[in-house]
Amino acid sequence: MFRTAVFLTALWFTLSLADKDVDIVAIYQLNAGRTTPPYDMDITVKGLSDDATLLDAMKKAQTEGMMTFSGKDYGPPLGFYVTTINGIEAASEDKEYWQILGGENMEPLQLGVSSYVPVGGETILFRLETWNDVRA
């Protein structure tokens, strides 16, 4: 009986460590240039598996009614491209896009939402930006 209790406790502890929470924030102001509050959206997605991607976190948040988003899935290797967050669309005809920042220094991510795996407790920022054509 004691062994079973110890085993179940260890199993519960191991499984509870496998879960992570991720904060998702957004700034809707075009070209705000900041990474700090105030945020237009500030949510915490709880109980994600340790290997959950940012897209997994966003889908869970949408299912739980915390946010909405849409975009287009280009498949591998490009993945899912976010075009709209909570009804705010990044209009490609106006050269707008949702920049995704994260990590310790809140820097632009080098992977998209379907490939990036945030660490537990990480804050991910979506910021509406414009791009410039750079031609040689």
Side-chain angles (χ1 to χ4, degrees):
M1 182 73 166
F2 178 73
R3 284 185 184 169
T4 303
V6 170
F7 173 75
L8 291 176
T9 302
L11 180 62
W12 175 83
F13 186 75
T14 301
L15 292 175
S16 67
L17 287 180
D19 288 348
K20 67 180 176 185
D21 300 342
V22 174
D23 297 321
I24 303 175
V25 298
I27 298 173
Y28 302 157
Q29 178 187 358
L30 186 61
N31 298 321
R34 62 183 168 82
T35 59
T36 57
Y39 299 120
D40 298 296
M41 178 184 77
D42 187 347
I43 63 172
T44 300
V45 186
K46 297 179 180 269
L48 295 163
S49 66
D50 194 43
D51 62 348
T53 64
L54 179 52
L55 183 58
D56 294 331
M58 293 170 69
K59 286 178 178 178
K60 183 171 185 186
Q62 185 161 261
T63 298
E64 294 178 359
M66 293 189 280
M67 71 177 290
T68 62
F69 72 94
S70 62
K72 180 169 174 139
D73 191 346
Y74 289 94
L78 297 176
F80 191 85
Y81 180 74
V82 177
T83 57
T84 306
I85 295 177
N86 289 341
I88 308 297
E89 182 178 6
S92 59
E93 61 274 6
D94 294 330
K95 300 181 180 181
E96 297 173 358
Y97 70 102
W98 284 104
Q99 184 181 43
I100 309 168
L101 300 99
E104 267 185 47
N105 298 319
M106 196 56 73
E107 295 177 348
L109 299 181
Q110 300 303 308
L111 297 170
V113 296
S114 48
S115 299
Y116 186 72
V117 178
V119 298
E122 184 172 356
T123 297
I124 303 295
L125 169 64
F126 285 88
R127 185 170 69 181
L128 193 58
E129 296 286 334
T130 57
W131 77 82
N132 294 318
D133 286 328
V134 178
R135 300 183 193 257

